[in-house]
């Protein structure tokens, strides 16, 4: 691959493996296994596998490999391992590096399933987890211990869009020899600076922007070759979290349009943030690149643009939020985001329902909070839809 390609070229060509037929569109290798010429060849492949050789789709597959190489090229990471879902990627990143007796420091503002792994699962295996306010660097410093093995964070948190200072947290973590694992889905692979900032393992739910059209679940862990192939791959290939070749093909073809889609959706999100800021039916509107965001300077330094999602807090609590959701005519009510279709989500009663009332309060997930994911529809139609629904809230 040419090293000086810009992202849009990488997204169309990086990682391509053509079969003997010379197909234009990448092939989908919908096969679980691979045939060996003879018994000696099978033995040899199990002893040492070549770059263009495969054993079993749980370990790797040509279509999955194309996807991994293309997304790694975009992220500026040496390597990647694709997974069945975003949560399989989060789980694998953590489980592959941790053992009983280790300590983890994590930001508190996390997606419910990430919190489940950190709070419920890791403690059952003897891993001690300390939670900090991700925006407070003093809390990160104070939480580090000599046995801290990993730091986990969402670079932009779900759903309150709190931004974490990646460079500073990486410096603090690396100071005690801890690895930094960042769930970067809200920052998007297009605006990511995670690897430059020092993150050791970047994790995405590719269910979000990468597919971006509501079809497949997927995830990926990215990092240096050593971590991905010697630590993450053995864990994933023996525990079964691999991405299916069909989903990898959907994700691979989706990468071709990722830059165009994310930039268009981001432009709509920024215009929507401008239209909603200061609206008299709202307590607040949160969008990382809007001047009213408490961490706008950090967001502007760390992310090239503000992303495709904003959050609003509607006056009048749950009843008003539900009236707003039910009055929308273009936006659909769902719990995914970063889709071509604009989506609204009420986190307190859906994605973050399993949190206690106290946890929700601590994270600012109020009864009136609505996450708004901007799609590919006409921007003015979307703004008009939000404004008419707000007038009925
Ligand atoms: C921040 C974050 N991480 C991980 C996930 C999990 O992704 P998946 O649904 O692909 O498992 C989500 C899903 O909403 C998310 O918001």
């Amino acid at each position: 691959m040419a090293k000086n390609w810009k992202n849009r070229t990488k997204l169309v060509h990086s990682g391509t493996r053509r079969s003997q037929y010379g197909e234009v569109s990448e092939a989908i290798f919908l096969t679980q296994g691979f045939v060996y010429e003879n018994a000696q060849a099978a033995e040899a492949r199990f002893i040492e596998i070549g770059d263009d050789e495969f054993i079993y789709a749980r370990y790797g597959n040509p279509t999955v490999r194309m996807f991994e190489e293309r997304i790694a090229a975009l992220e500026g990471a040496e390597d990647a391992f694709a997974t069945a879902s975003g949560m399989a990627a989060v789980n694998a990143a953590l489980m592959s590096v941790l053992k009983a007796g280790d300590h983890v420091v994590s930001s508190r503002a996390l997606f419910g399933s990430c919190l489940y792994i950190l709070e419920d699962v890791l403690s059952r295996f003897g891993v001690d987890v300390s939670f900090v306010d991700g925006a407070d660097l003093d809390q990160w410093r104070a939480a580090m211990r000599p046995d801290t093995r990993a730091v986990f964070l969402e670079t932009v948190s779900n759903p309150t869009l709190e931004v974490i200072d990646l460079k500073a947290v990486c410096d603090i973590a690396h100071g005690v020899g801890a690895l930094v694992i960042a769930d970067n889905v809200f920052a998007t692979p297009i605006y990511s600076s995670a690897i430059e900032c020092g993150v050791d393992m970047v994790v995405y739910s590719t269910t979000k922007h990468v597919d971006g059209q509501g079809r497949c679940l997927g995830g990926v862990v990215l990092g240096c070759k050593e971590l991905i192939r010697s630590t993450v791959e053995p864990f994933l290939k023996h525990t079964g979290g691999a991405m299916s070749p069909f989903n990898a093909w959907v994700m691979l073809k989706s990468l071709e349009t990722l830059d165009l889609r994310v930039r268009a959706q981001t432009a709509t999100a920024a215009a929507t943030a401008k239209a909603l800021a200061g609206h008299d039916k709202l307590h607040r509107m949160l969008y990382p690149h809007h001047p009213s965001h408490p961490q706008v300077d950090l967001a502007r330094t760390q992310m090239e643009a503000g992303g495709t999602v904003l959050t609003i807090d509607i006056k009048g609590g749950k009843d008003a939020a539900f009236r707003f959701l039910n009055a929308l005519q273009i936006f659909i009510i769902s719990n995914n985001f970063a889709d071509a279709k604009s989506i609204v989500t009420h986190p307190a009663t859906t994605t973050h329902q399993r949190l206690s009332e106290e946890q929700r309060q601590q994270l600012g997930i109020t009864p009136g909070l609505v996450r708004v994911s901007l799609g590919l529809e006409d921007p003015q139609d979307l703004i008009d839809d939000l404004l008419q629904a707000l007038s009925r809230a």
Side-chain angles (χ1 to χ4, degrees):
M1 189 208 52
K3 286 254 179 333
N4 55 353
W5 281 350
K6 307 275 190 306
N7 281 349
R8 278 176 52 179
T9 311
K10 290 179 188 169
L11 284 168
V12 177
H13 293 290
S14 289
T16 301
R17 285 163 188 251
R18 288 211 163 84
S19 77
Q20 72 272 32
Y21 299 112
E23 61 280 353
V24 170
S25 174
E26 295 79 349
I28 165 170
F29 291 92
L30 201 53
T31 178
Q32 301 158 341
F34 300 84
V35 179
Y36 311 102
E37 256 170 53
N38 50 44
Q40 287 81 354
E43 183 187 31
R45 203 170 294 182
F46 272 78
I47 293 171
E48 193 176 351
I49 188 163
D51 204 32
D52 210 23
E53 293 178 339
F54 298 91
I55 290 176
Y56 191 54
R58 175 153 47 76
Y59 296 15
N61 166 287
T63 311
V64 178
R65 196 68 198 122
M66 285 193 263
F67 170 67
E68 290 168 344
E69 287 181 1
R70 192 169 292 180
I71 195 162
L74 171 68
E75 190 69 33
E78 280 177 16
D79 217 333
F81 201 100
T83 55
S85 68
M87 287 320 304
V90 170
N91 189 49
L94 287 163
M95 288 296 190
S96 62
V97 298
L98 294 172
K99 60 176 188 335
D102 283 342
H103 176 239
V104 174
V105 184
S106 172
S107 60
R108 195 174 282 120
L110 296 179
F111 172 56
S113 302
C114 295
L115 195 62
Y116 174 77
I117 294 179
L118 283 144
E119 223 178 15
D120 296 39
V121 179
L122 291 182
S123 61
R124 282 196 262 134
F125 293 89
V127 176
D128 188 20
V129 183
S130 306
F131 289 97
V132 298
D133 171 351
D136 184 344
L137 293 176
D138 287 337
Q139 287 195 25
W140 284 106
R141 275 186 209 102
M144 295 298 152
R145 306 194 319 218
D147 59 348
T148 307
R149 171 74 180 127
V151 154
F152 184 81
L153 53 89
E154 288 175 16
T155 48
V156 180
S157 70
N158 177 8
T160 49
L161 309 181
E162 175 186 288
V163 184
I164 290 184
D165 186 335
L166 286 182
K167 269 197 184 121
V169 173
C170 286
D171 281 351
I172 295 167
H174 293 158
V176 296
L179 291 170
V180 178
I181 303 169
D183 181 329
N184 206 30
V185 71
F186 275 82
T188 87
I190 296 297
Y191 304 131
S192 170
S193 60
I195 297 277
E196 290 116 87
C197 289
V199 171
D200 300 286
M201 280 202 255
V202 188
V203 173
Y204 288 105
S205 161
T206 61
T207 313
K208 308 297 184 297
H209 301 90
V210 175
D211 173 26
Q213 290 148 90
R215 298 162 297 187
C216 295
L217 289 177
V220 67
V221 188
L222 302 119
C224 67
K225 205 166 250 334
E226 170 67 17
L227 262 180
I228 298 299
R229 293 295 147 199
S230 305
T231 306
V232 175
E233 179 184 306
F235 178 84
L236 271 164
K237 79 181 193 187
H238 297 301
T239 56
M243 179 181 271
S244 88
F246 178 78
N247 287 8
W249 179 78
V250 172
M251 300 290 175
L252 179 68
K253 299 307 287 176
S254 301
L255 284 178
E256 294 182 349
T257 56
L258 181 70
D259 186 274
L260 300 176
R261 288 184 287 108
V262 167
R263 286 184 195 280
Q265 289 173 242
T266 299
T268 301
T272 309
K274 204 167 161 195
L276 296 186
H279 193 288
D280 63 2
K281 291 276 176 89
L282 300 180
H283 285 303
R284 60 191 172 136
M285 184 287 303
L286 289 164
Y287 183 66
H289 270 223
H290 191 270
S292 61
H293 191 286
Q295 298 162 292
V296 63
D297 292 338
L298 172 63
R300 285 183 176 165
T301 327
Q302 199 164 281
M303 295 157 65
E304 184 197 322
T308 63
V309 177
L310 59 86
T311 299
I312 52 179
D313 193 354
I314 300 176
K315 290 180 184 166
K318 179 180 164 186
D319 288 348
F322 275 26
R323 278 196 297 275
F324 166 75
L325 294 179
N326 293 337
L328 287 162
Q329 288 169 3
I330 302 173
F331 284 79
I332 53 173
I333 302 171
S334 188
N335 46 274
N336 198 20
F337 61 88
D339 197 271
K341 294 183 172 60
S342 291
I343 294 176
V344 281
T345 310
H346 186 247
T349 54
T350 60
T351 51
H352 292 69
Q353 191 189 55
R354 63 170 285 279
L355 269 58
S356 67
E357 189 52 46
E358 193 194 339
Q359 279 175 311
R360 277 197 292 271
Q361 266 179 21
Q362 205 174 21
L363 298 178
I365 303 173
T366 57
L369 202 82
V370 176
R371 190 179 72 197
V372 182
S373 167
L374 285 308
L376 284 171
E377 303 94 333
D378 180 83
Q380 196 56 52
D381 282 350
L382 294 175
I383 293 170
D384 290 348
D385 195 25
L386 291 168
L387 292 176
Q388 69 76 22
L390 271 181
S391 73
R392 299 188 200 189

